[in-house]
Amino acid sequence: MYKKLFFSLLLCLFLAACSKQPQLYESFEDAQFALKTLNIAIVQPSTTKTNNIDKDQLVFSDAYLTKRHTIYQSLMGMDLNLNQIAQVNYLVIAERFPERYFNWPAQVNVLKNMLAFEGSKNTPDNVIAWLKLTQDTLDSAKQSNLKLNKVELTLLQSYVSSAIVNTDVQPALKSHIRAFSDYLASYKPRGSIGLRGLSNGSQWYQSKLNYFSGEVHSPLEWVTILNEKIKVLDRVPFDSKLPNSHQKSFLVQYLSNEKLIEGLDWQANYQDLPAMTSNMNMSDKDKTLMLAMMESDIGIHYHAWTLPQAKVNLIKRLQMSPEEAQYLVEDIILYPAQSFSFIQHII
């Protein structure tokens, strides 16, 4: 009996060893490189040039999501530092939420990036396939009451319009782009501009707050904490230079002079924002700016503020133009909770 049990145990151990998947990436840097390669249609590297795009690089396609999941799982098996572990956990948790239903991230002109692969013979086919996937996914999302907000929709429409007037785009391809433009023209966005307007949006927002702040507080608890700090601060001038697009978030640009700490999330430009802010020396002016952004962030994504309400709040806290307020509000909509990376300097 014991002999039979012994051999059964050996067989189980053998099968377990055989079923264990090989580690595809040996280091954090290897996995980061794999993510950058996968996301080449979202963030195009300035140093590496390519004339081709593979099927698994079609943003949020099934092949893309499978490859990304494999990279995340590989990272979970590595010996990482605490900041890196926090990043991986944050990204793995995000897989549960509805981002995959919006496979054109509105921060980025993905269509322009894909059209930039001029040397690739399969670029038109990839663009057509990806536009069809985007439309099919948006239609599927509607069944779960998941819709773009009006800021996202407006940005996508502007990208498509730019492609239509681009004389370098082939006529046959342009007809497919026009068809997608017609689809967007008839698309009805959701009323709320914040994450709370999505199914599981409140939980998604909470996960972002937890990661960027390094604390676990509900949005209402954060409101109490922020109000205690804001009420004693004076209105300060806003003098940051703003770009024309949201390709990089305002916070990424704000930290451009700080020492780079590598990250995994393309939305943070592959930087570890919480780790980078921990080394900053913040003035009262910096703190007021970030408090105003955090307050507006909670207002938009939890209290369902409208875009005009959020703009008014920023202008009340900061000496800035309506155009500057518009840009910051759009950025807060597109990059929820990133401003909470600065909270440890304030609480």
Side-chain angles (χ1 to χ4, degrees), residues 149-151 190-195 300-301 305-307 310 329 333:
N149 63 45
K150 59 186 179 181
V151 171
R190 71 179 190 268
S192 170
I193 56 174
L195 286 187
I300 290 166
H301 295 292
W305 285 1
T306 64
L307 196 148
V329 170
I333 293 167

Side-chain angles (χ1 to χ4, degrees), residues 110-123:
V110 177
L111 180 57
K112 179 181 177 181
N113 288 347
M114 293 184 71
L115 292 171
F117 294 100
E118 297 174 355
S120 173
K121 294 180 180 179
N122 67 350
T123 290

Side-chain angles (χ1 to χ4, degrees), residues 206 208-217 222 343-344 347:
Q206 185 68 62
K208 290 177 178 289
L209 286 173
N210 295 350
Y211 168 66
F212 286 110
S213 71
E215 303 276 346
V216 180
H217 294 297
W222 277 122
I343 194 65
Q344 298 302 327
I347 60 175

